[in-house]
Amino acid sequence: MSTRPRTAGKLPLTDLAEMKKRGERIVMVTAYDFPSGRLADAAGIDLVLVGDSAAMTVLGHDSTVPATMEDMLLLARAAARGALRPLVVADMPFGSFQVSDEEAVRNAVRFVKEAGADAVKVEGAGPTLSRVLALTGAGIPVMGHIGLTPQSATMLGGYKAQGRTASKARELLDDALALEAAGCFSLVLECVPAPVAERITQALAVPTIGIGSGAGCDGQVLVFHDLLGLYEGRAPRFVKRYADLAAEIRVALERYAADVRAGVFPEDAHTYAIAENELTRFEADLASRART
Ligand code: KIV
């Protein structure tokens, strides 16, 4: 596999707030391995999220909850090798930051030191605020995530839009302001009504990255597999599919299988030659072995 071309020079984290000021939209996509990180880089994406959505998209679980630190470190390490210019944000999996500030810092340090992540993302507000303070205090940039927070989907009553009443919208705004005050450099707003997300975006100095939260956010994030149509089945309503790669891949695999079964792959062009005299000597060796 070719490793070129790709861009060099990391996007400075401080540029994100400048982009917000200039009204320049920020583009984020998830990536979970070297090729997806490299492709995101080559496409000029600003932020790569090694999301715990990997538990579902690449590990085959039913939710994000089973993702472990070891799973996420492996995936983040590979994605970071490919994503040189984009800032790489590693998602802290369920259980890696809920227990204590100390454990959150210990695990986040692993993402930075062992995987080459530039920042981490944590879900929620409330108890998460002290984690944000501890992490930023340790010098680790933190992205917040409010609205639909999949790690606590059960408590939220399922995968549903959040902030759909005035009081819930106000709670979200308060959470956003508290996370900003605690030091988050950016916030993901997931499945928040567009007008609410827009008001929150206007109230913050740090950029918001929306998913299912409308065009009023400072940037957008989509899951790699969703936007590329890398699996069959229904995607959430906020997903725009830019390709149907699952269908293309299936057709390619079926053609490959048919070629192998029909004996038409490999062709001469896919094989390596041996000099005629070497082949003659090899055959002579074989013949003499057969005689003994
Ligand atoms: O894990 C993930 O991919 C995410 C995005 C949906 C924001 O958290």
Side-chain angles (χ1 to χ4, degrees):
M1 176 183 171
S2 162
T3 58
R4 305 279 158 192
R6 56 189 187 183
T7 51
K10 186 64 78 179
L11 175 72
L13 186 88
T14 46
D15 278 17
L16 298 175
E18 295 302 318
M19 287 170 80
K20 173 173 178 129
K21 272 193 211 147
R22 291 196 296 268
E24 212 178 298
R25 294 237 161 78
I26 299 165
V27 188
M28 185 176 197
V29 70
T30 67
Y32 315 105
D33 56 14
F34 174 74
S36 53
R38 187 173 60 84
L39 287 167
D41 186 327
I45 301 287
D46 301 309
L47 294 166
V48 157
L49 172 64
V50 187
D52 63 356
S53 49
M56 302 168 80
T57 55
V58 299
L59 301 177
H61 295 293
D62 287 340
S63 79
T64 61
V65 168
T68 65
M69 271 304 294
E70 299 312 317
D71 293 335
M72 295 301 298
L73 280 167
L74 180 77
L75 302 173
R77 209 176 281 134
R81 279 186 208 117
L84 300 187
R85 178 188 173 272
L87 287 155
V88 176
V89 182
D91 215 357
M92 298 204 61
F94 183 66
S96 71
F97 68 95
Q98 282 82 358
V99 175
S100 66
D101 290 353
E102 289 70 23
E103 208 166 315
V105 173
R106 199 174 307 118
N107 283 321
V109 164
R110 292 193 70 193
F111 275 125
V112 175
K113 282 185 79 143
E114 297 176 33
D118 301 301
V120 296
K121 177 168 84 57
V122 287
E123 289 188 9
T128 301
L129 293 172
S130 84
R131 308 294 185 263
V132 175
L133 284 167
L135 292 166
T136 52
I140 299 169
V142 184
M143 174 176 267
H145 181 163
I146 55 171
L148 171 55
T149 44
Q151 291 176 9
S152 40
T154 308
M155 288 194 32
L156 298 174
Y159 294 88
K160 295 179 181 166
Q162 301 295 307
R164 300 184 83 176
T165 63
S167 69
K168 291 289 180 192
R170 213 166 28 241
E171 264 176 42
L172 278 181
L173 173 61
D174 289 343
D175 287 346
L177 290 168
L179 284 164
E180 178 179 64
C184 284
F185 70 87
S186 173
L187 291 188
V188 168
L189 303 180
E190 181 164 353
C191 294
V192 173
V196 176
E198 192 175 345
R199 302 299 188 285
I200 293 174
T201 299
Q202 287 161 356
L204 298 178
V206 298
T208 59
I209 308 291
I211 176 162
S213 300
C217 296
D218 297 305
Q220 298 293 323
V221 59
L222 278 179
V223 167
F224 191 84
H225 290 58
D226 287 343
L227 87 93
L228 295 176
L230 259 170
Y231 56 82
E232 289 145 332
R234 255 185 64 224
R237 66 174 277 161
F238 55 76
V239 171
K240 179 168 175 182
R241 279 210 163 151
Y242 289 86
D244 188 7
L245 295 192
E248 272 196 53
I249 291 170
R250 186 161 31 80
V251 168
L253 289 171
E254 284 166 1
R255 286 178 49 210
Y256 164 64
D259 278 4
V260 170
R261 289 181 183 128
V264 298
F265 174 81
E267 298 160 37
D268 284 352
H270 306 121
T271 59
Y272 298 93
I274 179 170
E276 202 55 48
N277 62 328
E278 294 296 336
L279 185 58
T280 306
R281 283 174 55 193
F282 177 51
E283 279 170 343
D285 274 358
L286 287 180
S288 79
R289 274 196 216 185
R291 280 196 296 274
T292 55

